[in-house]
Structures are given as C-alpha cells and as structure tokens.
Amino acid sequence: MNTILFFLIPLFIIVVYFIIRGNPFKSKSIPTLSAAETDQLSQHVHFYQQLSPVDKGKFEDKIAVFLSYVRIEGIDLEINPLDRVLVASSAIIPVFGFEDWKYKNLSSVLLYPDTFNKDFQFEGAERNILGMVGEGYMNGQMILSRSALLHGFSNAVDKENTAIHEFVHLLDKSDGATDGVPDNLMKHEYAVPWIKMIHQEMQQIEKGKSDINPYAITNEAEFFAVVSEYFFENPKQLKDKHPELYQILSDTFLQDLASK
C-alpha cells in the first residue's frame, strides 16, 4: 500500500499542477498574416518582392510576430491591412538579418492622417513632423504620418522612408542612448571608425559634396537614421557612391542588399 501511495502522490501533484498552470508542453498558437495582409505585402513592399520564396516566408512570419505584440492605432482614421503591413515591414526590414529580434522599447504605433507638430496636433500651423519616437510620458510609442508611411513605399529606388527612419532610431535607442552608435548591433571594433566616418561625411554634406539628405548633419543619431534609409531604399547607389559607408552598414544590419 505504501509503495502505491509513493507513486500516486507525486502523480497527483503533477496532475494538479497541469490543471492550475496549464500544460507547458502544449504548443502555443503561432501568429499568421491574413490573406489581405499577405496580398498587400506582395503588392506594395519592394524589399519583400526581391526575396527568395524561403525568405518571403521568413519575412511574413516576422511581420506576424511583430503585429502580435505591437498595437497599431489610428488617430482620426481607421487602420486597414495596408497600414498594418507597411508599419510592420518598416520594423522588420532593418532587423531582417537577425535571427530573433523583438522591439522591447515599443508597445504601440500611433498613425496620424498627415504631418503633425511638436504637440502632436495634426491640424493648424507648424505641422512639419513626419514621424517620431516617443520620449517621457510617450515612451514606448511611435507616431507616424500615414501619408509619409505610404510615400515611403511608393518609390522603390529613392533614398527616403520615414517609417524605416524611425525604427532605426528605436534600434539605436535599444542600448540606452540614441546617439547614432547602435552598440547592440554594431561590432565594437567598428564604433570608432564609424564615428569618424560620420563626421567626415557630415563635412562633405555641409560643403554640398554629398548626395546624402542634409538632414543627416542634425546630429549623429539623425545621420545614422538617414543613411540607413538610403541603405535600405537604394543600396546599389549607396555602395557605388559611398562604398565604405555601405560596407559598415551591411555588416551592422547583416544584409548585403546591393548584391541582390
């Protein structure tokens, strides 16, 4: 009798544990995209269109996971499948080279109809902001202009994409400082050469001898975000005109886009 109890008591404890906590071996549901979202991805995202069938599936999976933990909310507009796909693509494109990346510093993306001002108003004067990463009480949120979001994916070979720009700021910020040196991504030995390269290129921009958007000279963080836009939007041109800059970004993002 004692022998039977010796085996039954632990079994009873295990059964009760599974009832209370749930079966840890039960597979969790895997997020997937809707048919409408996949269709929008195929039609509007050039980065996705250039991928192999295997990598397309990987991209879709990463987007579905992103949409499962980041809310996309419309301010005075209704969110549609294209909005969701473009916001998520903007997030995944910069981190596609990484096996597993989660934006731990982001909980929601607020989509405004158009440009807005520093007080987050999209009506009235001084509405010149296309996107921004929230600070202070807005920490963990990103604000994007829907018109800027759509424009960023309307031309596959320009050098500008506001949403990618803002997500690169989040990557930069993930090490605790938005300073243009993404310590969580960039190899340590690249940090000093990168800072030197930033300031050399800023001088060229100031002299009118560079095709990089002049907004890049605002500070090191904006330089990183601006040239990252260039890298993802027109990698072959960046490699042709700025080979050293291209190479360090390619090594940082683990993507050699110019070879595709």
Side-chain angles (χ1 to χ4, degrees):
M1 185 68 176
N2 290 338
T3 302
I4 296 175
L5 288 176
F6 178 79
F7 287 103
L8 287 180
I9 290 175
L11 179 61
F12 176 76
I13 293 173
I14 292 172
V15 170
V16 171
Y17 176 84
F18 279 3
I19 292 174
I20 296 174
R21 300 294 299 275
N23 186 352
F25 303 107
K26 184 179 180 180
S27 60
K28 297 181 180 179
S29 59
I30 300 174
T32 57
L33 296 181
S34 68
E37 289 168 338
T38 303
D39 184 56
Q40 296 290 3
L41 189 61
S42 298
Q43 291 185 48
H44 297 282
V45 182
H46 179 74
F47 183 95
Y48 172 82
Q49 295 165 359
Q50 303 303 303
L51 297 175
S52 68
V54 171
D55 281 344
K56 282 183 178 179
K58 179 181 175 182
F59 193 83
E60 293 167 13
D61 291 343
K62 287 178 177 290
I63 281 189
V65 170
F66 174 84
L67 291 172
S68 73
Y69 71 85
V70 174
R71 300 187 310 276
I72 300 176
E73 305 174 31
I75 305 300
D76 205 34
L77 59 82
E78 184 175 343
I79 297 297
N80 59 44
L82 180 59
D83 296 326
R84 287 169 53 81
V85 161
L86 295 187
V87 170
S89 294
S90 306
I92 298 306
I93 287 171
V95 298
F96 186 64
F98 304 109
E99 188 63 32
D100 186 24
W101 179 276
K102 183 174 182 179
Y103 286 92
K104 297 179 181 179
N105 51 355
L106 181 68
S107 60
S108 62
V109 175
L110 308 181
L111 203 59
Y112 279 34
D114 208 333
T115 54
F116 51 95
N117 61 26
K118 58 183 178 61
D119 296 318
F120 314 117
Q121 302 298 315
F122 51 87
E123 295 180 349
E126 299 182 359
R127 295 182 298 108
N128 57 2
I129 301 176
L130 301 175
M132 66 182 297
V133 172
E135 299 287 349
Y137 75 95
M138 292 290 288
N139 195 45
Q141 298 185 70
M142 178 186 292
I143 306 173
L144 289 173
S145 155
R146 177 195 259 175
S147 59
L149 174 69
L150 295 174
H151 178 73
F153 286 90
S154 65
N155 188 338
V157 292
D158 65 2
K159 297 176 288 186
E160 299 178 3
N161 186 305
T162 295
I164 287 179
H165 179 110
E166 297 304 326
F167 275 103
V168 170
H169 276 320
L170 275 184
L171 296 178
D172 188 7
K173 186 181 181 181
S174 67
D175 60 15
T178 311
D179 56 4
V181 184
D183 291 329
N184 286 345
L185 311 180
M186 187 174 286
K187 295 178 181 178
H188 179 70
E189 61 267 27
Y190 285 173
V192 173
W194 172 244
I195 293 172
K196 182 179 179 181
M197 194 179 301
I198 287 176
H199 291 284
Q200 288 176 340
E201 194 58 46
M202 280 182 170
Q203 291 176 2
Q204 294 298 103
I205 296 171
E206 289 177 332
K207 295 176 182 178
K209 297 181 179 180
S210 174
D211 67 330
I212 294 173
N213 188 328
Y215 188 64
I217 67 174
T218 303
N219 54 47
E220 290 85 351
E222 294 299 345
F223 182 92
F224 176 50
V226 166
V227 297
S228 294
E229 288 181 75
Y230 195 161
F231 175 80
F232 289 109
E233 290 291 288
N234 203 332
K236 291 182 180 179
Q237 182 174 309
L238 179 66
K239 185 175 184 178
D240 180 55
K241 295 191 174 185
H242 309 274
E244 293 181 355
L245 189 57
Y246 173 86
Q247 191 57 54
I248 198 167
L249 289 173
S250 178
D251 291 343
T252 297
F253 291 115
L254 304 182
Q255 300 186 59
D256 185 11
L257 302 179
S259 64
K260 294 184 178 181

